[in-house]
Amino acid sequence: MVAQKMKLIPRREAMCLLTSAMASSLFPLESLAGPDKVASRIADITNGKQFSDIDIYLDMPEIAENGNQVKIVFEIESPMSEVEHVKTVYVLADGNPEPDVAKFNFTPAMGACGATTRMRLSKTQNVIVLAEMANGLFAKADTKVKVTIGGCGG
Amino acid sequence: MAKVKARVKVQKKASVGEVIEIKTLISHPMHSGRAVDANGKTIPRNIIKSFTVKFNGEPVFNMDLKPSVASNPFVVFPFRVKEAGTFDFIWVEDGGKEYTASKNMRIA
């Protein structure tokens, strides 16, 4: 009985091992998107087009305690007419396994441009919102979110 | 797998020209394909990959979702009221399975 007990790993240690093993298997460092991948993704999307100085209102928490559910709110001033409206909004993150988070396609029927959703953040990272206007111009906003407990693990 | 349930909140009455807010939520685990279960097996990827909203058959809003979107995707978006009608909400899961919801709106 005693011999058996000796073989057991203390619970606390086991938990530590388990957590670190999970963390490393979930997010091997080389698989994260990283700023370079995001920069090349942005270059892909914009395809060399110009950036305009349109303001994007981006609201995210400065510190997210839980990376599994992080609220993101964005709004862009736009008349949303046939000629002048926001066509597409990309949400990108540079510390997640892949840079793309979501892509929103807006239409003039919406009357305003903005959306709210919740996203996963695997670690402290930058979140970038990239908007494409109907006239081909782009606008960009980014914010840094500090994450205490990473998400993406599900 | 837990039952997938879509919920949508749209005000029943609105006036013409008003910009209303539509809230949607679908209970879905959004398995990213990276998480492991209690037995150490990888849970296969299964996410809601797209979300489309139509009003009286006309596409209004569309969204492409990636594994980085949190579980139980919650989306809020605006809509300018022009006439009474029906909203159709369509969520598409990996593998093509569709979940739908619809809501009516009257003019106040």
Side-chain angles (χ1 to χ4, degrees), chain A residues 10-111:
Chain A
R11 200 174 79 99
R12 190 165 293 175
E13 206 177 289
M15 284 309 285
C16 275
L17 279 171
L18 201 68
T19 339
S20 59
M22 266 175 76
S24 55
S25 64
L26 291 180
F27 309 113
L29 277 175
E30 64 275 9
S31 80
L32 292 180
D36 297 347
K37 260 196 186 166
V38 169
S40 66
R41 185 79 184 97
I42 291 173
D44 265 8
I45 297 167
T46 55
N47 203 6
K49 290 204 181 100
Q50 292 292 309
F51 277 95
S52 66
D53 54 358
I54 294 163
D55 281 339
I56 301 179
Y57 166 80
L58 173 61
D59 185 18
M60 283 198 83
E62 231 171 86
I63 298 170
E65 280 187 11
N66 182 355
N68 271 315
Q69 295 271 345
V70 187
K71 193 176 182 181
I72 167 166
V73 182
F74 65 83
E75 256 174 60
I76 304 162
E77 280 287 330
S78 167
M80 293 305 273
S81 60
E82 278 300 333
V83 201
E84 200 183 345
H85 64 268
V86 181
K87 223 164 71 177
T88 318
V89 173
Y90 299 86
V91 179
L92 309 166
D94 68 2
N96 276 0
E98 57 176 290
D100 285 71
V101 175
K103 179 182 163 197
F104 299 82
N105 298 310
F106 291 93
T107 61
M110 296 179 73

Side-chain angles (χ1 to χ4, degrees), chain A residues 26 31 68-69 79 96-98 100-107 109-112 114-120 152-154, chain B residues 19 25 29-30 32 34-36 45 59-71 74-80:
Chain A
L26 291 180
S31 80
N68 271 315
Q69 295 271 345
N96 276 0
E98 57 176 290
D100 285 71
V101 175
K103 179 182 163 197
F104 299 82
N105 298 310
F106 291 93
T107 61
M110 296 179 73
T116 301
T117 190
R118 293 187 194 131
M119 63 183 285
R120 290 173 173 149
C152 286
Chain B
V19 175
L25 184 112
M30 293 290 278
S32 63
R34 287 170 190 277
V36 286
R45 179 182 144 141
V60 169
F61 175 68
N62 169 271
M63 182 180 170
D64 293 344
L65 295 88
K66 293 277 148 55
S68 286
V69 176
S71 53
F74 167 73
V75 182
V76 182
F77 58 91
F79 179 76
R80 184 189 282 146

